[in-house]
Amino acid sequence: MTEPHTKQKITIFDVAHEAGVSKSTVSLVLTDSDKTSDKTKHKVLAAIDKLGYVYNRDAASLRSKRSKIVGVLINDLTNPYSAQLAVGLERHLHQLGMLPMLINSDENYQRQKDTVRTLREYNVAAIIMCPAPGTETNWVDQLISSGLPVINIMREVPYSNAPTVLPDNQKGSHQATKHLINQGLKNIAFLGGTEDISDFHERLNGFHTAIKQGNIDADQCPVIQAPTNRQGGREGMNRLLEHHPQLQGVVCFSDVIAYGAIESLKSSQISVGDQIKIVGFDDLADSSLMSPALTTVRIDADEIGKRTCQVLSEILQGTQPPVRTLVDVNLKVRASG
């Protein structure tokens, strides 16, 4: 009877023998060192493919005290902009040789804390997060003091030591509001967002600044807080229509809010873009395809990812990145506004 053949585990020594190099040279290639030539890297990678060698990065990270995994905590993965943001981050993290571990915090601070605690057990290289409402400055600073790099994106944690990468929220909502004022509108509302997130205050400040500069009576310009989803947009617009019958235009906290607002107007037989103008914020992929196409403030998610990874690269190299990085935005004028 023939005994079954047991396949022997391929080791780094087998790869070195196949490639005709030393074990240390294979290690340099596996850790993406720039101390080997392209020709040598090609030989080693070809040997790895031929033999089917699998590099144990968990063990390697324990030896080096640093993994290549970056925890990416997104506040709400049901929001379409979050998907655009995640793609932008993944692309640029890959260029750094890092692997993102994408997690939804679901706007829940306790869940965010529990997730970070678990990620630390896996020796992640850094945390990139869009902070959940209520995120405490002391908690963020303690993480940084422990040696774990933390970068906040899209939102700030006030006075924390974490570098932050943000779109220019105030400029965006100012441009959106000024665009409506320049068309002769005076009864303009701000719709969406809640006061426990920093981007709400920044976008609201831009709205109020434009209203003041346009010499518009603030009493004619209501602010309606609402959850950042379509239902929030629908319900918020219904409240505006009920209590502000002279409404001429709405600056929405996000495109998703704007989608809900437009649905509400259509169900009330109100012409969007003619009777009431709507402006969003984000420029989601579907916004230009809507009927009517949505006027909106564009945030380049890829640029957010690029600038975030520039900050991460500086931290990993031991240099001091900017405390606050503002990414420019621009208004895309379409039929709705």
Side-chain angles (χ1 to χ4, degrees), residues 24 40 59 85 121 127 170 205 208 242 263 268 281 287 305 315:
S24 60
T40 299
L85 185 61
E121 294 173 3
I127 297 291
Q170 187 161 329
N205 283 342
H208 280 148
E242 180 181 357
E263 290 167 0
S268 299
F281 206 116
S287 293
I315 293 173

Side-chain angles (χ1 to χ4, degrees), residues 75-76 79 106-108 131-134 154-156 169 190-205 223-229 231-233 235-236 239 251-254 257:
N75 58 303
D76 180 12
N79 186 321
D106 198 28
E107 298 282 29
N108 186 304
M154 303 304 293
R155 296 175 179 170
E156 288 186 285
N169 290 304
F190 184 91
L191 172 59
T194 54
E195 61 184 10
D196 54 358
I197 50 178
S198 65
D199 41 353
F200 168 77
H201 295 283
E202 291 166 356
R203 295 178 190 183
L204 184 59
N205 283 342
V223 175
I224 302 295
Q225 294 188 39
T228 53
N229 52 44
Q231 185 61 24
E235 293 177 356
R239 288 165 59 191
V251 175
C252 295
F253 175 82
S254 68
I257 288 283

